Amino acid sequence: TLNDILGRHGLVAALYYAGLTEYIDAIPEANLEPGADFSDMSSLFQAIEEIYGVRGSHALLTRAGRTTLATYRHKFAPMMKFFEIEMKLLSEEKKIRHSLDYIMKMLTRTGNQQVASSEEGSELVFQITNCSTCSGRSGLDHPVCHMTVGLMQEILHWVTGGRDFQVKV
């Protein structure tokens, strides 16, 4: 996804900046198996933040998260087709809850992330432990989970037929 957004040269520059040159010609395959180490992913996201600034990286990584859903839909077409059919049978409220639970479960399959969800009034709250975005980063004074935010925004947009939702970190 980052290759599509940054372009090959932009991604290579970010990988160099992050000290992750081993990924330049060996980007992990897009599948549901554990790929890149979380600390490597976090280093890449931190490099993007340092290169583009907090605001620039926020926009870029949110866009990357939204684009990631298209990758999931393409790479895992049979599974996602089943999911689409399932969504047609649910009310919008249930679509929202089920789709977010579904995508969070997919995230837990691709690494050592643990996701807990709860409801606080009219809001759904997701807590990710061992998040790939902030793994190994300490002393943060601002949110950095923009890839996840973008992914959640896009799945909600998709399952509700184009409605936009505010997803906060």
Side-chain angles (χ1 to χ4, degrees), residues 4 7 10 17 68 79-80 94-95 101 108 115 125 137-138:
D4 291 344
Y17 191 91
T68 296
M79 182 172 57
M80 294 303 282
K94 288 184 179 182
K95 282 181 186 181
D101 283 341
T108 63
V115 179
V125 177
R137 294 176 76 176
S138 61

Side-chain angles (χ1 to χ4, degrees), residues 107-138:
L107 289 176
T108 63
R109 288 186 63 189
T110 60
N112 195 24
Q113 296 180 104
Q114 301 298 318
V115 179
S117 63
S118 62
E119 293 184 35
E120 293 181 9
S122 63
E123 295 183 349
L124 296 174
V125 177
F126 290 85
Q127 182 176 353
I128 302 173
T129 306
N130 195 29
C131 174
S132 63
T133 305
C134 52
S135 178
R137 294 176 76 176
S138 61

Side-chain angles (χ1 to χ4, degrees), residues 30-130:
N31 58 33
L32 294 178
E33 300 301 318
D37 185 75
F38 277 9
S39 62
D40 290 346
M41 292 173 64
S42 181
S43 294
L44 177 59
F45 296 145
Q46 182 174 353
I48 289 169
E49 182 177 303
E50 290 174 10
I51 293 167
Y52 293 95
V54 173
R55 290 179 64 188
S57 66
H58 173 148
L60 192 147
L61 293 172
T62 300
R63 180 174 168 214
R66 291 189 76 128
T67 304
T68 296
L69 182 63
T71 302
Y72 274 116
R73 288 181 66 194
H74 174 73
K75 273 303 250 191
F76 311 112
M79 182 172 57
M80 294 303 282
K81 194 60 159 170
F82 176 76
F83 179 75
E84 278 184 68
I85 293 167
E86 186 180 8
M87 288 294 102
K88 290 180 182 179
L89 303 173
L90 300 175
S91 67
E92 184 170 275
E93 184 179 321
K94 288 184 179 182
K95 282 181 186 181
I96 291 168
R97 176 59 181 219
H98 185 67
S99 64
L100 290 173
D101 283 341
Y102 185 82
I103 205 71
M104 292 297 117
K105 284 177 185 166
M106 284 183 74
L107 289 176
T108 63
R109 288 186 63 189
T110 60
N112 195 24
Q113 296 180 104
Q114 301 298 318
V115 179
S117 63
S118 62
E119 293 184 35
E120 293 181 9
S122 63
E123 295 183 349
L124 296 174
V125 177
F126 290 85
Q127 182 176 353
I128 302 173
T129 306
N130 195 29

